[in-house]
Amino acid sequence: MKMKGFIILALAATIALSGCSANKSGSGSEPTNSTNSGSSATPDASAAPVDLNWFATVGGWNPPQWNTDEGTVMGELTKKTGLTFSYNIPAQDGDTKLNLMMVSTSDAFPDVITTIGPDMGKKLVDAGKVWELEEFLKKYDPESHLLKDFPADVKEQMVKHYGGWYAIGSHMVSDDAREVYPPSSDYFADVAKYSENKGVIVNSNLLKEAGIELSSLKTEEGVLAALEKVKGMQVDGQPVIPLQIHGKNYHGETLQFLQRSFGAMPIDKDGKFRHIYMSPENKHAIQFLFKAAQGGYFDPGQMTTDDVAIESNLLSKRVFMFIGGTPRGKFDQLDFWVSPGTILSSEGTKPVFPFWSEPGRGWMQTMISKSTKEPEKLAKWLSFMTSPEGMTLSSFGIEGVHYTKDDKGLITRTEKGIQDLTDSSKTAVDIFWQFTNMAFLENVQPAPTKREGTGGLIEMEAKTAYARSPEVVRYDLSVTTLPGDFYAPGSENANTRDQIQQFYEAQVAKMVLAKDEAEFNKLYDEFIATMKKLKIDELNAELDAELQKKSQEMGVMVKGINS
């Protein structure tokens, strides 16, 4: 339910995402301008490094094979921690493989586990496979800075979900995190308020060539008319792609943006929980893609492609409009993106923007196995990776090579640093997203002044255009936060949720590709009927009980804006 990890991902930092694979991989920088260094002592340089296994269910994470070469990020990490890592990153079905490992009689359980989503980490905790981190650190690294400065408000969310502090969350941002690492500029607070990872961006070169005003793309009718107008255009002798959707995850990126832009909420006008898939605005979002498919504005093959294919299309400069996850925009190489912000529904509904007044647990959740034979080394590794020294090394690389500091201690990447960031799956510069701390990045970097490049003003304008639109209504989605055991693995609630999601994805594809409006409406009626058979009403009732309880606890009442 809660997508905050992906929203947080957009906040202001220069973070480059890349593809996925399974592989073997895995000068100490000065501490930042924060006074809390907290890193562990360098291990005995004469000792051979210890290789440990790191299992990750994060399909988009592609670290390079570990090497200990002098002057590299991984080499410096090994020098500081005495560890190297062999990675096990299944290209698909990572949770399934981890489930099998949990019940296996083999001793080969990974030393470090990184999961995403609400369920797998909870399974590891319930099975007694991973350490409670306070207990772990007090036993194996009692001087760890994490025992003093890990954000209390994030830890509280961990305890609510897992029953204890069992994970280090990536992309953390919270009030308590900013107490430790205050932002270097008011710019970051502004970005934190408005940045959103799902959006619409437009090729300004093609916009100008077609004689279309950006303001005309703020409505559904205007967008469809523009897509029709550019359909016959060419770039370097190749046809323009009027619309690029977010590949095989279009239902999780493209449709989610359209839902919000058309005003869909998981709460109805009476303040009761109503699954967003059952909202009229969700139907209208699907209808938009149906109309786009009918017009031939995107190839249906896009619905099954991966991120590599999306980026290939974008880099061809033939895409007029991209609706999906804006981090795929290749801002490091493309400088022509602009955004109309919203696409206002022809039904006259108001667009909505969810925010969270309570912090999340972060996106990736990294845990330490109880079966590891090197608990002390891993405790000190955790302490180093989350220290200013460790985060500077992993995020920015080596001072004087990948970055410089100004007289205030603020970090700017060099040309090599920017290039190695782009090639992170080869260089390991900013590849260890598990330890990305957004508050830290806002603390050590100046506000951007350049328009071009990753983290530049073009990217930030594109990512904040939606929430800045005056038509958008903000609402607090923290009231939908669920207790950790609501979707307990194997429970009826979890099974119902999974069945609903599987059916939704299959049926949406049919609706988008329906031959005509009559078939679309028939498929939508089947969709509603099947959802009810899958007990969505019963699940809604349980979710509403939690919503009312949480609303009372927070003193925040949210009602649907449109329906």
Side-chain angles (χ1 to χ4, degrees):
M1 294 232 8
K2 194 167 182 182
M3 301 297 293
K4 186 170 183 184
F6 299 98
I7 293 173
I8 289 173
L9 184 61
L11 306 185
T14 54
I15 296 170
L17 304 182
S18 53
C20 67
S21 70
N23 57 22
K24 172 182 167 69
S25 50
S27 77
S29 310
E30 294 289 325
T32 70
N33 55 337
S34 169
T35 57
N36 182 10
S37 173
S39 58
S40 301
T42 303
D44 181 359
S46 64
V50 175
D51 189 66
L52 299 179
N53 185 268
W54 193 342
F55 187 97
T57 65
V58 188
W61 186 43
N62 188 26
Q65 181 172 334
W66 199 280
N67 74 74
T68 57
D69 293 348
E70 187 77 20
T72 65
V73 169
M74 289 180 296
E76 293 300 310
L77 287 173
T78 296
K79 188 186 295 185
K80 291 289 182 180
T81 65
L83 294 176
T84 63
F85 286 94
S86 296
Y87 288 98
N88 187 347
I89 312 171
Q92 56 188 358
D93 299 327
D95 282 355
T96 301
K97 290 178 172 63
L98 189 52
N99 274 320
L100 292 173
M101 293 170 76
M102 285 173 63
V103 298
S104 171
T105 56
S106 168
D107 292 334
F109 197 72
D111 300 279
V112 179
I113 307 103
T114 295
T115 68
I116 55 174
D119 295 345
M120 199 64 236
K122 192 74 168 61
K123 281 187 180 181
L124 290 165
V125 169
D126 292 345
K129 292 288 188 179
V130 291
W131 278 98
E132 201 282 333
L133 292 183
E134 189 147 358
E135 178 188 359
F136 177 66
L137 291 167
K138 283 181 176 178
K139 184 169 183 177
Y140 293 110
D141 190 15
E143 299 303 313
S144 173
H145 73 96
L146 285 167
L147 292 169
K148 304 164 191 167
D149 66 12
F150 189 84
D153 49 3
V154 176
K155 185 184 290 186
E156 181 182 355
Q157 298 305 314
M158 296 276 188
V159 172
K160 285 180 180 178
H161 184 76
Y162 295 120
W165 174 29
Y166 282 89
I168 299 293
S170 74
H171 301 88
M172 289 190 302
V173 63
S174 73
D175 290 344
D176 288 346
R178 288 195 176 100
E179 284 291 320
V180 180
Y181 301 113
S184 67
S185 165
D186 290 342
Y187 166 87
F188 292 112
D190 198 37
V191 170
K193 181 177 180 180
Y194 293 112
S195 191
E196 166 60 273
N197 255 20
K198 299 171 179 65
V200 52
I201 51 178
V202 181
N203 184 326
S204 61
N205 295 335
L206 294 176
L207 197 67
K208 183 178 180 180
E209 185 179 341
I212 299 170
E213 294 293 328
L214 181 63
S215 59
S216 70
L217 303 181
K218 288 185 71 69
T219 66
E220 182 182 354
E221 297 90 342
V223 166
L224 291 172
L227 296 178
E228 180 65 27
K229 188 170 185 178
V230 303
K231 190 166 66 167
M233 293 172 58
Q234 292 191 339
V235 172
D236 296 331
Q238 296 296 313
V240 162
I241 301 169
L243 176 62
Q244 175 71 50
I245 62 174
H246 202 109
K248 61 186 177 183
N249 196 28
Y250 71 94
H251 44 76
E253 299 286 345
T254 308
L255 269 177
Q256 282 191 9
F257 169 75
L258 291 169
Q259 287 166 355
R260 291 174 183 177
S261 202
F262 292 172
M265 290 174 60
I267 302 170
D268 66 19
K269 274 195 166 183
D270 296 323
K272 291 180 176 288
F273 188 92
R274 186 260 328 273
H275 201 298
I276 205 164
Y277 292 167
M278 302 297 278
S279 67
E281 296 82 15
N282 176 59
K283 178 183 179 181
H284 197 65
I286 302 169
Q287 276 181 314
F288 176 88
L289 288 187
F290 161 71
K291 291 176 184 177
Q294 289 279 297
Y297 306 142
F298 72 93
D299 186 325
Q302 285 189 28
M303 297 166 71
T304 60
T305 57
D306 60 14
D307 285 349
V308 174
I310 296 169
E311 292 179 0
S312 176
N313 280 350
L314 296 179
L315 289 170
S316 75
K317 303 180 181 180
R318 295 187 297 124
V319 171
F320 171 69
M321 175 178 287
F322 173 52
I323 302 178
T326 49
R328 296 272 74 80
K330 303 303 291 182
F331 294 95
D332 58 325
Q333 298 175 59
L334 303 175
D335 62 1
F336 50 60
W337 294 123
V338 292
S339 177
T342 58
I343 299 175
L344 298 174
S345 167
S346 60
E347 300 292 327
T349 51
K350 294 179 180 179
V352 294
F353 180 72
F355 70 93
W356 285 263
S357 59
E358 288 186 342
R361 292 176 289 110
W363 174 33
M364 300 183 185
Q365 303 284 290
T366 296
M367 300 177 165
I368 304 298
S369 168
K370 282 188 174 180
S371 64
T372 182
K373 293 179 172 57
E374 297 289 347
E376 185 172 352
K377 284 186 179 296
L378 280 177
K380 294 186 182 300
W381 171 76
L382 273 188
S383 299
F384 178 77
M385 294 298 289
T386 54
S387 72
E389 183 182 5
M391 290 189 290
T392 300
L393 174 58
S394 65
S395 294
F396 298 101
I398 298 168
E399 187 171 8
V401 177
H402 295 108
Y403 70 89
T404 59
K405 288 184 179 180
D406 64 15
D407 56 2
K408 296 180 181 177
L410 298 179
I411 290 173
T412 299
R413 296 185 195 272
T414 63
E415 287 300 316
K416 179 170 176 55
I418 292 169
Q419 184 58 51
D420 282 4
L421 172 67
T422 302
D423 296 332
S424 60
S425 61
K426 299 176 183 176
T427 65
V429 173
D430 197 28
I431 200 67
F432 296 103
W433 311 332
Q434 292 84 349
F435 300 103
T436 297
N437 181 323
M438 301 306 296
F440 172 76
L441 294 177
E442 293 169 1
N443 171 262
V444 299
Q445 293 183 99
T449 55
K450 291 184 178 179
R451 292 193 57 76
E452 299 79 12
T454 302
L457 295 174
I458 290 174
E459 179 177 6
M460 289 309 152
E461 286 167 7
K463 288 183 175 181
T464 60
Y466 176 78
R468 288 183 188 278
S469 298
E471 303 89 351
V472 170
V473 179
R474 295 167 62 88
Y475 72 97
D476 191 349
L477 199 57
S478 294
V479 294
T480 63
T481 302
L482 295 167
D485 60 354
F486 185 85
Y487 286 121
S491 67
E492 185 174 352
N493 284 345
N495 291 336
T496 299
R497 177 202 59 190
D498 293 346
Q499 289 172 5
I500 285 170
Q501 185 62 27
Q502 290 166 13
F503 174 68
Y504 176 75
E505 293 178 15
Q507 192 73 358
V508 162
K510 294 178 183 177
M511 287 189 277
V512 170
L513 299 180
K515 66 180 180 180
D516 53 33
E517 192 167 350
E519 185 180 31
F520 176 91
N521 289 327
K522 178 175 177 291
L523 288 166
Y524 185 78
D525 290 343
E526 289 176 2
F527 166 72
I528 295 296
T530 304
M531 282 291 198
K532 291 181 178 295
K533 288 179 183 176
L534 292 174
K535 299 184 178 180
I536 197 167
D537 291 338
E538 290 87 338
L539 181 60
N540 279 347
E542 295 211 30
L543 287 164
D544 184 60
E546 296 297 339
L547 167 65
Q548 305 310 323
K549 192 185 304 179
K550 184 69 176 178
S551 296
Q552 290 293 328
E553 174 191 319
M554 293 181 62
V556 174
M557 305 302 293
V558 177
K559 292 189 177 182
I561 304 299
N562 296 298
S563 62

PDB file of all heavy atoms in Angstrom, residues 62-78:
ATOM      1  N   ASN A  62      22.206  -3.438  -9.655  1.00  0.00           N
ATOM      2  CA  ASN A  62      23.195  -4.123 -10.462  1.00  0.00           C
ATOM      3  C   ASN A  62      24.611  -3.703 -10.079  1.00  0.00           C
ATOM      4  O   ASN A  62      25.299  -3.014 -10.832  1.00  0.00           O
ATOM      5  CB  ASN A  62      22.944  -3.817 -11.948  1.00  0.00           C
ATOM      6  CG  ASN A  62      23.812  -4.656 -12.860  1.00  0.00           C
ATOM      7  OD1 ASN A  62      24.239  -5.750 -12.504  1.00  0.00           O
ATOM      8  ND2 ASN A  62      24.092  -4.133 -14.042  1.00  0.00           N
ATOM      9  N   PRO A  63      25.089  -4.109  -8.891  1.00  0.00           N
ATOM     10  CA  PRO A  63      26.445  -3.736  -8.490  1.00  0.00           C
ATOM     11  C   PRO A  63      27.490  -4.516  -9.293  1.00  0.00           C
ATOM     12  O   PRO A  63      27.227  -5.610  -9.771  1.00  0.00           O
ATOM     13  CB  PRO A  63      26.491  -4.146  -7.014  1.00  0.00           C
ATOM     14  CG  PRO A  63      25.524  -5.278  -6.915  1.00  0.00           C
ATOM     15  CD  PRO A  63      24.432  -4.971  -7.894  1.00  0.00           C
ATOM     16  N   PRO A  64      28.687  -3.942  -9.440  1.00  0.00           N
ATOM     17  CA  PRO A  64      29.735  -4.666 -10.173  1.00  0.00           C
ATOM     18  C   PRO A  64      30.330  -5.788  -9.335  1.00  0.00           C
ATOM     19  O   PRO A  64      30.165  -5.816  -8.110  1.00  0.00           O
ATOM     20  CB  PRO A  64      30.783  -3.578 -10.431  1.00  0.00           C
ATOM     21  CG  PRO A  64      30.599  -2.607  -9.308  1.00  0.00           C
ATOM     22  CD  PRO A  64      29.131  -2.621  -8.982  1.00  0.00           C
ATOM     23  N   GLN A  65      31.020  -6.697 -10.001  1.00  0.00           N
ATOM     24  CA  GLN A  65      31.750  -7.731  -9.279  1.00  0.00           C
ATOM     25  C   GLN A  65      32.757  -7.063  -8.353  1.00  0.00           C
ATOM     26  O   GLN A  65      33.429  -6.102  -8.724  1.00  0.00           O
ATOM     27  CB  GLN A  65      32.472  -8.649 -10.263  1.00  0.00           C
ATOM     28  CG  GLN A  65      33.232  -9.781  -9.594  1.00  0.00           C
ATOM     29  CD  GLN A  65      33.766 -10.778 -10.603  1.00  0.00           C
ATOM     30  OE1 GLN A  65      33.217 -10.920 -11.685  1.00  0.00           O
ATOM     31  NE2 GLN A  65      34.846 -11.458 -10.259  1.00  0.00           N
ATOM     32  N   TRP A  66      32.832  -7.575  -7.131  1.00  0.00           N
ATOM     33  CA  TRP A  66      33.676  -6.922  -6.135  1.00  0.00           C
ATOM     34  C   TRP A  66      35.147  -7.025  -6.529  1.00  0.00           C
ATOM     35  O   TRP A  66      35.616  -8.080  -6.964  1.00  0.00           O
ATOM     36  CB  TRP A  66      33.478  -7.567  -4.761  1.00  0.00           C
ATOM     37  CG  TRP A  66      33.965  -6.654  -3.666  1.00  0.00           C
ATOM     38  CD1 TRP A  66      35.245  -6.458  -3.264  1.00  0.00           C
ATOM     39  CD2 TRP A  66      33.162  -5.790  -2.884  1.00  0.00           C
ATOM     40  NE1 TRP A  66      35.303  -5.524  -2.270  1.00  0.00           N
ATOM     41  CE2 TRP A  66      34.024  -5.093  -2.002  1.00  0.00           C
ATOM     42  CE3 TRP A  66      31.796  -5.523  -2.815  1.00  0.00           C
ATOM     43  CZ2 TRP A  66      33.567  -4.158  -1.080  1.00  0.00           C
ATOM     44  CZ3 TRP A  66      31.334  -4.603  -1.898  1.00  0.00           C
ATOM     45  CH2 TRP A  66      32.221  -3.932  -1.036  1.00  0.00           C
ATOM     46  N   ASN A  67      35.842  -5.896  -6.385  1.00  0.00           N
ATOM     47  CA  ASN A  67      37.297  -5.952  -6.532  1.00  0.00           C
ATOM     48  C   ASN A  67      37.928  -5.103  -5.441  1.00  0.00           C
ATOM     49  O   ASN A  67      37.282  -4.201  -4.891  1.00  0.00           O
ATOM     50  CB  ASN A  67      37.740  -5.486  -7.923  1.00  0.00           C
ATOM     51  CG  ASN A  67      37.630  -3.989  -8.097  1.00  0.00           C
ATOM     52  OD1 ASN A  67      38.438  -3.231  -7.558  1.00  0.00           O
ATOM     53  ND2 ASN A  67      36.619  -3.540  -8.845  1.00  0.00           N
ATOM     54  N   THR A  68      39.150  -5.392  -5.128  1.00  0.00           N
ATOM     55  CA  THR A  68      39.833  -4.699  -4.033  1.00  0.00           C
ATOM     56  C   THR A  68      40.944  -3.789  -4.551  1.00  0.00           C
ATOM     57  O   THR A  68      41.886  -3.472  -3.833  1.00  0.00           O
ATOM     58  CB  THR A  68      40.427  -5.722  -3.044  1.00  0.00           C
ATOM     59  OG1 THR A  68      41.305  -6.603  -3.750  1.00  0.00           O
ATOM     60  CG2 THR A  68      39.323  -6.529  -2.375  1.00  0.00           C
ATOM     61  N   ASP A  69      40.818  -3.349  -5.788  1.00  0.00           N
ATOM     62  CA  ASP A  69      41.851  -2.504  -6.389  1.00  0.00           C
ATOM     63  C   ASP A  69      42.012  -1.208  -5.607  1.00  0.00           C
ATOM     64  O   ASP A  69      41.029  -0.605  -5.152  1.00  0.00           O
ATOM     65  CB  ASP A  69      41.510  -2.168  -7.842  1.00  0.00           C
ATOM     66  CG  ASP A  69      41.545  -3.397  -8.738  1.00  0.00           C
ATOM     67  OD1 ASP A  69      42.038  -4.443  -8.282  1.00  0.00           O
ATOM     68  OD2 ASP A  69      41.066  -3.302  -9.885  1.00  0.00           O
ATOM     69  N   GLU A  70      43.234  -0.780  -5.483  1.00  0.00           N
ATOM     70  CA  GLU A  70      43.544   0.476  -4.812  1.00  0.00           C
ATOM     71  C   GLU A  70      42.863   1.636  -5.545  1.00  0.00           C
ATOM     72  O   GLU A  70      42.823   1.691  -6.768  1.00  0.00           O
ATOM     73  CB  GLU A  70      45.060   0.696  -4.812  1.00  0.00           C
ATOM     74  CG  GLU A  70      45.524   1.880  -3.990  1.00  0.00           C
ATOM     75  CD  GLU A  70      45.529   1.595  -2.501  1.00  0.00           C
ATOM     76  OE1 GLU A  70      45.536   0.402  -2.123  1.00  0.00           O
ATOM     77  OE2 GLU A  70      45.528   2.566  -1.722  1.00  0.00           O
ATOM     78  N   GLY A  71      42.292   2.563  -4.773  1.00  0.00           N
ATOM     79  CA  GLY A  71      41.722   3.759  -5.369  1.00  0.00           C
ATOM     80  C   GLY A  71      40.337   3.591  -5.956  1.00  0.00           C
ATOM     81  O   GLY A  71      39.849   4.481  -6.649  1.00  0.00           O
ATOM     82  N   THR A  72      39.699   2.439  -5.686  1.00  0.00           N
ATOM     83  CA  THR A  72      38.307   2.244  -6.117  1.00  0.00           C
ATOM     84  C   THR A  72      37.397   2.290  -4.899  1.00  0.00           C
ATOM     85  O   THR A  72      37.851   2.113  -3.759  1.00  0.00           O
ATOM     86  CB  THR A  72      38.121   0.888  -6.816  1.00  0.00           C
ATOM     87  OG1 THR A  72      38.351  -0.170  -5.856  1.00  0.00           O
ATOM     88  CG2 THR A  72      39.076   0.735  -7.990  1.00  0.00           C
ATOM     89  N   VAL A  73      36.098   2.536  -5.136  1.00  0.00           N
ATOM     90  CA  VAL A  73      35.147   2.585  -4.025  1.00  0.00           C
ATOM     91  C   VAL A  73      35.146   1.274  -3.258  1.00  0.00           C
ATOM     92  O   VAL A  73      35.249   1.245  -2.025  1.00  0.00           O
ATOM     93  CB  VAL A  73      33.728   2.918  -4.542  1.00  0.00           C
ATOM     94  CG1 VAL A  73      32.689   2.693  -3.433  1.00  0.00           C
ATOM     95  CG2 VAL A  73      33.663   4.358  -5.034  1.00  0.00           C
ATOM     96  N   MET A  74      35.072   0.148  -3.987  1.00  0.00           N
ATOM     97  CA  MET A  74      35.017  -1.139  -3.304  1.00  0.00           C
ATOM     98  C   MET A  74      36.348  -1.463  -2.624  1.00  0.00           C
ATOM     99  O   MET A  74      36.370  -2.043  -1.532  1.00  0.00           O
ATOM    100  CB  MET A  74      34.610  -2.240  -4.278  1.00  0.00           C
ATOM    101  CG  MET A  74      33.154  -2.142  -4.699  1.00  0.00           C
ATOM    102  SD  MET A  74      32.647  -3.448  -5.845  1.00  0.00           S
ATOM    103  CE  MET A  74      33.670  -3.056  -7.254  1.00  0.00           C
ATOM    104  N   GLY A  75      37.436  -1.089  -3.277  1.00  0.00           N
ATOM    105  CA  GLY A  75      38.740  -1.305  -2.648  1.00  0.00           C
ATOM    106  C   GLY A  75      38.860  -0.551  -1.342  1.00  0.00           C
ATOM    107  O   GLY A  75      39.376  -1.080  -0.340  1.00  0.00           O
ATOM    108  N   GLU A  76      38.384   0.705  -1.317  1.00  0.00           N
ATOM    109  CA  GLU A  76      38.431   1.497  -0.091  1.00  0.00           C
ATOM    110  C   GLU A  76      37.472   0.947   0.959  1.00  0.00           C
ATOM    111  O   GLU A  76      37.774   0.949   2.154  1.00  0.00           O
ATOM    112  CB  GLU A  76      38.106   2.958  -0.396  1.00  0.00           C
ATOM    113  CG  GLU A  76      39.158   3.666  -1.234  1.00  0.00           C
ATOM    114  CD  GLU A  76      40.518   3.676  -0.544  1.00  0.00           C
ATOM    115  OE1 GLU A  76      40.594   4.063   0.645  1.00  0.00           O
ATOM    116  OE2 GLU A  76      41.514   3.283  -1.185  1.00  0.00           O
ATOM    117  N   LEU A  77      36.316   0.451   0.526  1.00  0.00           N
ATOM    118  CA  LEU A  77      35.376  -0.148   1.480  1.00  0.00           C
ATOM    119  C   LEU A  77      35.985  -1.387   2.129  1.00  0.00           C
ATOM    120  O   LEU A  77      35.837  -1.613   3.333  1.00  0.00           O
ATOM    121  CB  LEU A  77      34.057  -0.503   0.787  1.00  0.00           C
ATOM    122  CG  LEU A  77      33.145   0.672   0.425  1.00  0.00           C
ATOM    123  CD1 LEU A  77      31.956   0.189  -0.395  1.00  0.00           C
ATOM    124  CD2 LEU A  77      32.660   1.389   1.686  1.00  0.00           C
ATOM    125  N   THR A  78      36.669  -2.191   1.328  1.00  0.00           N
ATOM    126  CA  THR A  78      37.333  -3.378   1.879  1.00  0.00           C
ATOM    127  C   THR A  78      38.431  -2.974   2.860  1.00  0.00           C
ATOM    128  O   THR A  78      38.588  -3.567   3.933  1.00  0.00           O
ATOM    129  CB  THR A  78      37.915  -4.245   0.754  1.00  0.00           C
ATOM    130  OG1 THR A  78      36.842  -4.739  -0.043  1.00  0.00           O
ATOM    131  CG2 THR A  78      38.695  -5.427   1.308  1.00  0.00           C
TER     132      THR A  78
END
